[in-house]
Amino acid sequence: MAVATRKRSRRKAREGGMPLTASLGVVGWERLDAVLLAALATEAPLLLVGAHGTAKTLVAERVAAALGLEFR
């Protein structure tokens, strides 16, 4: 069931029906989608600042995986 849900989520993301961070499996970051997309499009550095446990590393790992890049 989880696999079908993930496939459906990816399809919705490709169709423009799902926010970027939600398509990566990160909840609660939708308000930063535009900033993340702008940094990716311009290849500009992006500094994620937040309290401990707010999924900063998770977002970086998921973006790298989605782009097929190595996360170090």
Side-chain angles (χ1 to χ4, degrees), residues 5-26 30 33 37:
T5 303
R6 275 187 245 137
K7 286 182 181 178
R8 197 173 18 243
S9 295
R10 286 188 203 126
R11 186 174 55 241
K12 282 181 81 175
R14 281 193 305 266
E15 295 169 356
M18 180 179 282
L20 170 68
T21 51
S23 69
L24 296 173
V26 180
E30 291 82 13
D33 280 352
L37 285 170

Side-chain angles (χ1 to χ4, degrees), residues 21-22 25-33 54:
T21 51
V26 180
V27 178
W29 279 61
E30 291 82 13
R31 63 189 174 89
L32 296 175
D33 280 352
T54 55

Side-chain angles (χ1 to χ4, degrees), residues 21 24 26-29 31-32 36 46-64 71:
T21 51
L24 296 173
V26 180
V27 178
W29 279 61
R31 63 189 174 89
L32 296 175
L36 289 170
L46 178 66
L47 178 64
L48 300 175
V49 178
H52 175 74
T54 55
K56 299 176 299 288
T57 303
L58 178 67
V59 168
E61 289 173 343
R62 297 277 174 94
V63 168
F71 177 78

Side-chain angles (χ1 to χ4, degrees), residues 34-47 63 67 69:
V35 174
L36 289 170
L37 285 170
L40 290 169
T42 61
E43 297 182 11
L46 178 66
L47 178 64
V63 168
L67 295 174
L69 301 173

